[in-house]
Amino acid sequence: MCGVVGYTGKKPAAPWLLDGLATLEYRGYDSAGIQVISPSGNLHGVKCAGRVATLRERCDSANPVGTCGIGHTRWATHGAPTDKNAHPHTDCSGRIAVVHNGIIENFQELKRELMAAGHTFKSETDTEVIAHLVEDAWAGPAKGDLVAALRNACDRLEGAWAIACVCADVPNQIVVTRKSSPLVVCSTDEGAYVASDVMPLASVASSVLQLQDNDFALLSEDGRVEITNREGEKVEHPETITIDWDASAATLGGYSDFMAKEISEQPEAIERLLTNRLGEHGIEMDELSMSKEELASIDRIYIIACGTSYHVGLIAKSLIEKWAKIPVSCEYASEFNYSDVLVTPHTMCVIITQSGETADTLTAARRMKGMGSTVFAITNVLGSSAARESDGTLYIQAGPEVAVASTKAYTAQMAASVLLALRLAFANGSMSREEVERRYHELEAIPGLIREVLARRWQPRQAAKLFRDKHSALFLGRGVNSTTAYEGALKLKEISYLHAEAYPAGEMKHGPIALLEPGFPVVAIVPADSVHDKTVSNIQESIARGAVVLAVATDGDEAVAKLCQDVLWIPPVENEMLVPLVAVVHLQMLARFVARARGLDVDKPRNLAKSVTVE
Ligand code: M6R
């Protein structure tokens, strides 16, 4: 949720800290700050509410000089996004500073205790208690040993954390640790680095070390990284993650924003995922780590996810039930965690999460594992918590997704779900090899169809005008495309702040129809499929009440063209179950054009963060 960086070495720290924070800004952008140890041996902090760009301007005038420092970009949980609540936070002496991602659940009790002992607090954050706890440990049992001081402080904490800590008394050291929040470190000739994820490190290293819960790493200016566990024992073989993409994959590469870039990358992402998948098991998916017999015995599946990934889950449910004939429940992770679960000896749990770090989803996965279920993850981020904690992981290989609004991960996760449904269907005998191959070839055609839609971007650009001066919109679709409606509405509200509601088209008459009045925008997904005519009837009901209807329809649908104000055309898709992969691309572009017309930052919508690591 927040981004953490740190560097100690030969180079000036501030420039890399600022670049690293800019890369991590997708995790939160309410405020940002850095703390550098100056050559005179004092902490020099610069922090402010707002974006990393504002912090950069502040640093231009404050000029923090030094070769060791830490930085943070924040998604506010405790305390408003103000200068004083921005990290890093310091102790009473101003010689110890910390940055933190996560939540300290017992901070109030600790704060009371520390204040009673004479500590003075400057912020409303939970994080500040860490700086004061380190201060006490440094002054007492751990003097001279920053790792021991942080370990001592962490012994008092409850909750989740990724922490980086510096102390002006040991001016070239950074100590970091984590529990339930990701943190990676790397060692180079120029120094040692730490970051919340691999993205900022891709420009300085080809592989990084993944810290495990309660690992502590001491980073030294000569580039050394020493990792110990909670008991102080050396961690001999830390997990290594090879960065198998170029640092340029996380840059704009000529696009005006990441959302535009990521929308356009969808065909290649799906093609990568489909490579070498056809084989003797119908679909080859070694990632499942389950035998054919185990797969064949699955009698119930829980799909658990949040947000856009939950929408993928809804489609995956339809695909698995239709093709593999296995009953599936698709659940919002945040709700699932507090509901009753029916686990049989052959229940499988599938978690879908782009980031692999969504706290609600991880909690749900742990709960399912605890009840004896096999957990399979569909994720994008290599070495993420979801991947590490699951029994098997299918990486969608979409490359870094930077824009907060998920686009390429949505379609790649959907393609992964198609593969999973086919694998299960073949394993339990619901589908013959020939049929699996037919469906696979239909899926293979999808990237080409998405390219055609991308080439029609002028259509959503023009249609975006329908939303000028509007405050609300209703999205309708039937069958698998009710989910396309949900996703289209989520994209629109997320980045344009326009209220958008989505309903299965047939449900409209049971309530939402009351919203309709002359000029009210309705977006209807009405491809040439088995429910086409029913959806057309719902369009007619909307028009009868004065709604302005924008349709997503299949080339050549004259009836829809005549009825609707405007149409976003998609090429014919052979299998109607795969239409959502193509139709959604128009809605992604539409949301982006509407948001841009409103002058909004499409990559960093207000109040949101890419990776939601709090429950
Ligand atoms: O990383 P995850 O897929 O677990 O994230 C889940 C949601 O937070 C995410 O899909 C969110 O809804 C997106 N901002 C939607 O565009």
Short mmCIF file of all heavy atoms in Angstrom, two decimals, residues 18-72:
data_model
loop_
_atom_site.label_atom_id
_atom_site.label_comp_id
_atom_site.label_asym_id
_atom_site.label_seq_id
_atom_site.Cartn_x
_atom_site.Cartn_y
_atom_site.Cartn_z
N LEU A 18 14.53 9.09 -5.05
CA LEU A 18 13.40 9.77 -5.72
C LEU A 18 12.93 8.98 -6.94
O LEU A 18 11.73 8.81 -7.16
CB LEU A 18 13.81 11.20 -6.12
CG LEU A 18 13.99 12.16 -4.94
CD1 LEU A 18 14.68 13.44 -5.39
CD2 LEU A 18 12.65 12.48 -4.28
N ASP A 19 13.89 8.46 -7.71
CA ASP A 19 13.49 7.65 -8.88
C ASP A 19 12.77 6.38 -8.42
O ASP A 19 11.77 5.97 -9.00
CB ASP A 19 14.73 7.25 -9.71
CG ASP A 19 15.30 8.45 -10.46
OD1 ASP A 19 14.63 9.50 -10.50
OD2 ASP A 19 16.43 8.33 -10.99
N GLY A 20 13.32 5.76 -7.37
CA GLY A 20 12.69 4.54 -6.86
C GLY A 20 11.27 4.82 -6.38
O GLY A 20 10.34 4.05 -6.64
N LEU A 21 11.08 5.92 -5.70
CA LEU A 21 9.74 6.26 -5.20
C LEU A 21 8.79 6.52 -6.37
O LEU A 21 7.61 6.14 -6.31
CB LEU A 21 9.80 7.49 -4.29
CG LEU A 21 10.46 7.28 -2.94
CD1 LEU A 21 10.46 8.57 -2.13
CD2 LEU A 21 9.75 6.17 -2.14
N ALA A 22 9.31 7.15 -7.42
CA ALA A 22 8.44 7.41 -8.58
C ALA A 22 7.96 6.08 -9.16
O ALA A 22 6.80 5.93 -9.55
CB ALA A 22 9.20 8.22 -9.63
N THR A 23 8.84 5.08 -9.16
CA THR A 23 8.45 3.76 -9.69
C THR A 23 7.44 3.08 -8.77
O THR A 23 6.60 2.32 -9.23
CB THR A 23 9.70 2.86 -9.79
OG1 THR A 23 10.76 3.61 -10.33
CG2 THR A 23 9.46 1.65 -10.65
N LEU A 24 7.55 3.36 -7.49
CA LEU A 24 6.66 2.70 -6.52
C LEU A 24 5.41 3.51 -6.22
O LEU A 24 4.60 3.11 -5.39
CB LEU A 24 7.40 2.50 -5.19
CG LEU A 24 8.44 1.40 -5.11
CD1 LEU A 24 8.98 1.32 -3.69
CD2 LEU A 24 7.85 0.05 -5.50
N GLU A 25 5.26 4.62 -6.92
CA GLU A 25 4.18 5.54 -6.56
C GLU A 25 2.81 4.90 -6.74
O GLU A 25 1.83 5.31 -6.12
CB GLU A 25 4.29 6.82 -7.38
CG GLU A 25 3.76 8.02 -6.64
CD GLU A 25 3.98 9.32 -7.38
OE1 GLU A 25 4.34 9.29 -8.57
OE2 GLU A 25 3.77 10.37 -6.76
N TYR A 26 2.75 3.85 -7.60
CA TYR A 26 1.48 3.17 -7.81
C TYR A 26 0.95 2.58 -6.49
O TYR A 26 -0.22 2.29 -6.35
CB TYR A 26 1.62 2.07 -8.86
CG TYR A 26 2.39 0.88 -8.36
CD1 TYR A 26 1.74 -0.17 -7.74
CD2 TYR A 26 3.77 0.82 -8.49
CE1 TYR A 26 2.44 -1.25 -7.24
CE2 TYR A 26 4.48 -0.25 -8.00
CZ TYR A 26 3.81 -1.29 -7.37
OH TYR A 26 4.50 -2.34 -6.87
N ARG A 27 1.83 2.41 -5.50
CA ARG A 27 1.40 1.80 -4.24
C ARG A 27 0.70 2.80 -3.32
O ARG A 27 0.11 2.42 -2.31
CB ARG A 27 2.62 1.24 -3.50
CG ARG A 27 3.37 0.18 -4.26
CD ARG A 27 4.58 -0.28 -3.49
NE ARG A 27 4.22 -1.11 -2.36
CZ ARG A 27 4.04 -2.42 -2.40
NH1 ARG A 27 4.20 -3.06 -3.54
NH2 ARG A 27 3.71 -3.09 -1.33
N GLY A 28 0.81 4.05 -3.65
CA GLY A 28 0.19 5.08 -2.82
C GLY A 28 0.84 6.40 -3.14
O GLY A 28 2.05 6.44 -3.40
N TYR A 29 0.05 7.47 -3.15
CA TYR A 29 0.63 8.75 -3.56
C TYR A 29 -0.02 9.90 -2.81
O TYR A 29 -0.29 10.95 -3.36
CB TYR A 29 0.52 8.93 -5.07
CG TYR A 29 -0.71 8.29 -5.69
CD1 TYR A 29 -1.93 8.94 -5.71
CD2 TYR A 29 -0.64 7.00 -6.22
CE1 TYR A 29 -3.05 8.35 -6.24
CE2 TYR A 29 -1.77 6.40 -6.76
CZ TYR A 29 -2.97 7.08 -6.78
OH TYR A 29 -4.08 6.48 -7.30
N ASP A 30 -0.29 9.66 -1.52
CA ASP A 30 -0.86 10.72 -0.68
C ASP A 30 0.23 11.68 -0.20
O ASP A 30 -0.02 12.85 0.00
CB ASP A 30 -1.53 10.12 0.56
CG ASP A 30 -2.79 9.37 0.20
OD1 ASP A 30 -3.35 9.67 -0.86
OD2 ASP A 30 -3.20 8.50 0.97
N SER A 31 1.40 11.12 0.08
CA SER A 31 2.53 11.95 0.52
C SER A 31 3.81 11.16 0.26
O SER A 31 3.75 9.96 -0.01
CB SER A 31 2.41 12.30 2.01
OG SER A 31 2.50 11.12 2.79
N ALA A 32 4.93 11.87 0.34
CA ALA A 32 6.21 11.19 0.07
C ALA A 32 7.31 11.86 0.86
O ALA A 32 7.17 13.03 1.26
CB ALA A 32 6.52 11.24 -1.43
N GLY A 33 8.38 11.12 1.09
CA GLY A 33 9.48 11.72 1.83
C GLY A 33 10.74 10.89 1.77
O GLY A 33 10.70 9.69 1.47
N ILE A 34 11.87 11.56 2.02
CA ILE A 34 13.14 10.84 2.12
C ILE A 34 13.90 11.36 3.35
O ILE A 34 13.65 12.46 3.82
CB ILE A 34 14.03 10.96 0.86
CG1 ILE A 34 14.41 12.43 0.61
CG2 ILE A 34 13.36 10.37 -0.36
CD1 ILE A 34 15.48 12.58 -0.49
N GLN A 35 14.82 10.55 3.80
CA GLN A 35 15.68 10.93 4.92
C GLN A 35 17.08 10.45 4.53
O GLN A 35 17.26 9.26 4.25
CB GLN A 35 15.20 10.20 6.18
CG GLN A 35 15.73 10.69 7.47
CD GLN A 35 15.05 11.97 7.97
OE1 GLN A 35 15.71 12.98 8.09
NE2 GLN A 35 13.75 11.91 8.26
N VAL A 36 18.02 11.39 4.48
CA VAL A 36 19.39 11.04 4.07
C VAL A 36 20.32 11.38 5.22
O VAL A 36 20.08 12.35 5.95
CB VAL A 36 19.75 11.85 2.79
CG1 VAL A 36 21.22 11.75 2.46
CG2 VAL A 36 18.92 11.35 1.61
N ILE A 37 21.36 10.58 5.39
CA ILE A 37 22.34 10.91 6.44
C ILE A 37 23.42 11.80 5.82
O ILE A 37 24.10 11.39 4.88
CB ILE A 37 22.94 9.63 7.05
CG1 ILE A 37 21.80 8.77 7.61
CG2 ILE A 37 23.95 9.99 8.15
CD1 ILE A 37 22.21 7.48 8.24
N SER A 38 23.52 13.00 6.32
CA SER A 38 24.42 13.99 5.70
C SER A 38 25.88 13.70 6.06
O SER A 38 26.15 13.01 7.05
CB SER A 38 24.04 15.39 6.18
OG SER A 38 24.38 15.51 7.53
N PRO A 39 26.82 14.26 5.30
CA PRO A 39 28.24 14.02 5.59
C PRO A 39 28.63 14.46 7.01
O PRO A 39 29.56 13.93 7.60
CB PRO A 39 28.97 14.86 4.54
CG PRO A 39 27.97 15.05 3.44
CD PRO A 39 26.62 15.06 4.08
N SER A 40 27.89 15.41 7.58
CA SER A 40 28.22 15.84 8.95
C SER A 40 27.65 14.88 9.99
O SER A 40 27.78 15.10 11.20
CB SER A 40 27.67 17.25 9.18
OG SER A 40 26.26 17.23 9.00
N GLY A 41 26.97 13.80 9.51
CA GLY A 41 26.49 12.79 10.44
C GLY A 41 25.15 13.11 11.07
O GLY A 41 24.83 12.62 12.15
N ASN A 42 24.32 13.90 10.38
CA ASN A 42 22.98 14.19 10.87
C ASN A 42 21.94 13.72 9.85
O ASN A 42 22.26 13.53 8.67
CB ASN A 42 22.81 15.70 11.07
CG ASN A 42 23.67 16.17 12.21
OD1 ASN A 42 23.63 15.62 13.32
ND2 ASN A 42 24.51 17.17 11.95
N LEU A 43 20.69 13.55 10.32
CA LEU A 43 19.63 13.19 9.39
C LEU A 43 19.14 14.44 8.69
O LEU A 43 18.94 15.49 9.32
CB LEU A 43 18.46 12.55 10.14
CG LEU A 43 18.66 11.17 10.73
CD1 LEU A 43 17.36 10.68 11.36
CD2 LEU A 43 19.12 10.18 9.67
N HIS A 44 18.96 14.32 7.38
CA HIS A 44 18.38 15.43 6.63
C HIS A 44 17.11 14.91 5.95
O HIS A 44 17.18 14.12 5.02
CB HIS A 44 19.39 15.95 5.60
CG HIS A 44 18.91 17.20 4.90
ND1 HIS A 44 19.67 17.93 4.05
CD2 HIS A 44 17.71 17.83 4.94
CE1 HIS A 44 18.99 18.97 3.60
NE2 HIS A 44 17.79 18.92 4.11
N GLY A 45 15.96 15.33 6.45
CA GLY A 45 14.69 14.82 5.92
C GLY A 45 13.97 15.86 5.08
O GLY A 45 14.01 17.05 5.36
N VAL A 46 13.34 15.39 4.03
CA VAL A 46 12.47 16.24 3.21
C VAL A 46 11.20 15.44 2.98
O VAL A 46 11.27 14.28 2.52
CB VAL A 46 13.11 16.58 1.83
CG1 VAL A 46 12.25 17.58 1.08
CG2 VAL A 46 14.53 17.08 2.00
N LYS A 47 10.03 15.99 3.32
CA LYS A 47 8.80 15.25 3.12
C LYS A 47 7.64 16.21 2.93
O LYS A 47 7.69 17.36 3.39
CB LYS A 47 8.54 14.28 4.27
CG LYS A 47 8.48 14.89 5.65
CD LYS A 47 8.37 13.78 6.68
CE LYS A 47 7.93 14.27 8.03
NZ LYS A 47 7.60 13.20 8.95
N CYS A 48 6.61 15.73 2.24
CA CYS A 48 5.49 16.61 1.97
C CYS A 48 4.25 15.82 1.57
O CYS A 48 4.36 14.68 1.09
CB CYS A 48 5.85 17.56 0.83
SG CYS A 48 6.33 16.72 -0.67
N ALA A 49 3.09 16.43 1.76
CA ALA A 49 1.86 15.84 1.25
C ALA A 49 1.93 15.93 -0.28
O ALA A 49 2.56 16.83 -0.82
CB ALA A 49 0.66 16.62 1.77
N GLY A 50 1.27 14.99 -0.97
CA GLY A 50 1.24 15.05 -2.43
C GLY A 50 2.18 14.04 -3.06
O GLY A 50 2.66 13.11 -2.41
N ARG A 51 2.44 14.26 -4.31
CA ARG A 51 3.16 13.29 -5.15
C ARG A 51 4.68 13.39 -5.03
O ARG A 51 5.21 14.37 -4.53
CB ARG A 51 2.78 13.54 -6.62
CG ARG A 51 1.29 13.46 -6.91
CD ARG A 51 0.89 12.02 -7.15
NE ARG A 51 -0.55 11.88 -7.23
CZ ARG A 51 -1.24 11.88 -8.36
NH1 ARG A 51 -0.64 12.06 -9.51
NH2 ARG A 51 -2.54 11.70 -8.35
N VAL A 52 5.33 12.38 -5.61
CA VAL A 52 6.79 12.36 -5.64
C VAL A 52 7.32 13.56 -6.43
O VAL A 52 8.38 14.11 -6.11
CB VAL A 52 7.29 11.02 -6.23
CG1 VAL A 52 8.80 11.03 -6.40
CG2 VAL A 52 6.87 9.85 -5.34
N ALA A 53 6.56 14.00 -7.43
CA ALA A 53 6.99 15.17 -8.22
C ALA A 53 7.13 16.40 -7.30
O ALA A 53 8.08 17.19 -7.44
CB ALA A 53 5.99 15.45 -9.33
N THR A 54 6.21 16.53 -6.34
CA THR A 54 6.29 17.66 -5.40
C THR A 54 7.51 17.49 -4.49
O THR A 54 8.24 18.45 -4.20
CB THR A 54 5.01 17.71 -4.53
OG1 THR A 54 3.89 17.55 -5.38
CG2 THR A 54 4.89 18.98 -3.74
N LEU A 55 7.74 16.24 -4.06
CA LEU A 55 8.91 15.97 -3.22
C LEU A 55 10.20 16.32 -3.97
O LEU A 55 11.13 16.88 -3.39
CB LEU A 55 8.90 14.50 -2.80
CG LEU A 55 10.09 14.04 -1.95
CD1 LEU A 55 10.06 14.69 -0.58
CD2 LEU A 55 10.10 12.51 -1.79
N ARG A 56 10.23 15.97 -5.25
CA ARG A 56 11.41 16.29 -6.07
C ARG A 56 11.68 17.78 -6.05
O ARG A 56 12.82 18.22 -5.88
CB ARG A 56 11.14 15.86 -7.52
CG ARG A 56 11.99 14.75 -8.00
CD ARG A 56 11.70 14.50 -9.47
NE ARG A 56 11.48 13.10 -9.74
CZ ARG A 56 12.43 12.19 -9.80
NH1 ARG A 56 13.68 12.54 -9.63
NH2 ARG A 56 12.14 10.93 -10.03
N GLU A 57 10.61 18.56 -6.22
CA GLU A 57 10.79 20.03 -6.22
C GLU A 57 11.33 20.48 -4.87
O GLU A 57 12.24 21.31 -4.80
CB GLU A 57 9.46 20.73 -6.49
CG GLU A 57 9.04 20.66 -7.94
CD GLU A 57 7.57 21.02 -8.13
OE1 GLU A 57 6.99 21.65 -7.21
OE2 GLU A 57 7.01 20.67 -9.19
N ARG A 58 10.77 19.91 -3.78
CA ARG A 58 11.26 20.29 -2.44
C ARG A 58 12.75 19.92 -2.30
O ARG A 58 13.52 20.66 -1.70
CB ARG A 58 10.48 19.56 -1.35
CG ARG A 58 9.02 19.88 -1.31
CD ARG A 58 8.76 21.06 -0.38
NE ARG A 58 7.35 21.40 -0.40
CZ ARG A 58 6.50 21.13 0.58
NH1 ARG A 58 6.93 20.57 1.67
NH2 ARG A 58 5.23 21.45 0.48
N CYS A 59 13.10 18.75 -2.84
CA CYS A 59 14.50 18.30 -2.71
C CYS A 59 15.43 19.18 -3.54
O CYS A 59 16.58 19.40 -3.16
CB CYS A 59 14.64 16.84 -3.14
SG CYS A 59 13.95 15.70 -1.94
N ASP A 60 14.91 19.70 -4.66
CA ASP A 60 15.75 20.59 -5.48
C ASP A 60 16.23 21.78 -4.65
O ASP A 60 17.37 22.19 -4.76
CB ASP A 60 14.96 21.10 -6.70
CG ASP A 60 14.86 20.02 -7.76
OD1 ASP A 60 15.59 19.01 -7.65
OD2 ASP A 60 14.03 20.16 -8.69
N SER A 61 15.33 22.30 -3.81
CA SER A 61 15.78 23.45 -3.01
C SER A 61 16.43 23.02 -1.69
O SER A 61 17.41 23.62 -1.25
CB SER A 61 14.64 24.44 -2.77
OG SER A 61 13.49 23.75 -2.41
N ALA A 62 15.93 21.92 -1.09
CA ALA A 62 16.52 21.51 0.21
C ALA A 62 17.87 20.81 0.03
O ALA A 62 18.69 20.78 0.94
CB ALA A 62 15.55 20.58 0.93
N ASN A 63 18.07 20.21 -1.14
CA ASN A 63 19.32 19.54 -1.50
C ASN A 63 19.86 18.60 -0.42
O ASN A 63 20.92 18.84 0.16
CB ASN A 63 20.37 20.61 -1.86
CG ASN A 63 21.58 19.97 -2.52
OD1 ASN A 63 21.45 18.89 -3.12
ND2 ASN A 63 22.74 20.61 -2.41
N PRO A 64 19.15 17.49 -0.14
CA PRO A 64 19.67 16.55 0.86
C PRO A 64 20.87 15.77 0.31
O PRO A 64 20.74 15.03 -0.66
CB PRO A 64 18.47 15.61 1.10
CG PRO A 64 17.63 15.75 -0.12
CD PRO A 64 17.92 17.06 -0.77
N VAL A 65 22.02 15.97 0.93
CA VAL A 65 23.27 15.35 0.44
C VAL A 65 23.65 14.19 1.35
O VAL A 65 23.55 14.30 2.57
CB VAL A 65 24.40 16.39 0.40
CG1 VAL A 65 25.72 15.74 -0.01
CG2 VAL A 65 24.06 17.53 -0.55
N GLY A 66 24.09 13.08 0.76
CA GLY A 66 24.51 11.93 1.55
C GLY A 66 24.40 10.67 0.72
O GLY A 66 23.70 10.66 -0.30
N THR A 67 25.08 9.62 1.14
CA THR A 67 25.11 8.41 0.33
C THR A 67 24.33 7.26 0.99
O THR A 67 24.44 6.11 0.57
CB THR A 67 26.58 7.95 0.12
OG1 THR A 67 27.18 7.80 1.40
CG2 THR A 67 27.35 8.96 -0.71
N CYS A 68 23.58 7.58 2.03
CA CYS A 68 22.76 6.56 2.68
C CYS A 68 21.41 7.18 3.03
O CYS A 68 21.37 8.26 3.63
CB CYS A 68 23.47 6.07 3.94
SG CYS A 68 22.49 4.91 4.92
N GLY A 69 20.33 6.54 2.62
CA GLY A 69 19.04 7.13 2.95
C GLY A 69 17.89 6.18 2.69
O GLY A 69 18.05 5.11 2.09
N ILE A 70 16.72 6.58 3.18
CA ILE A 70 15.50 5.79 2.99
C ILE A 70 14.39 6.70 2.47
O ILE A 70 14.47 7.92 2.61
CB ILE A 70 15.04 5.11 4.32
CG1 ILE A 70 14.90 6.16 5.44
CG2 ILE A 70 16.01 4.02 4.73
CD1 ILE A 70 14.41 5.58 6.77
N GLY A 71 13.38 6.11 1.84
CA GLY A 71 12.30 6.92 1.29
C GLY A 71 10.97 6.19 1.34
O GLY A 71 10.91 4.97 1.55
N HIS A 72 9.90 6.93 1.11
CA HIS A 72 8.56 6.37 1.31
C HIS A 72 7.55 7.13 0.47
O HIS A 72 7.61 8.35 0.34
CB HIS A 72 8.20 6.53 2.79
CG HIS A 72 6.96 5.81 3.21
ND1 HIS A 72 5.72 6.42 3.25
CD2 HIS A 72 6.75 4.53 3.63
CE1 HIS A 72 4.82 5.55 3.69
NE2 HIS A 72 5.42 4.38 3.92
#
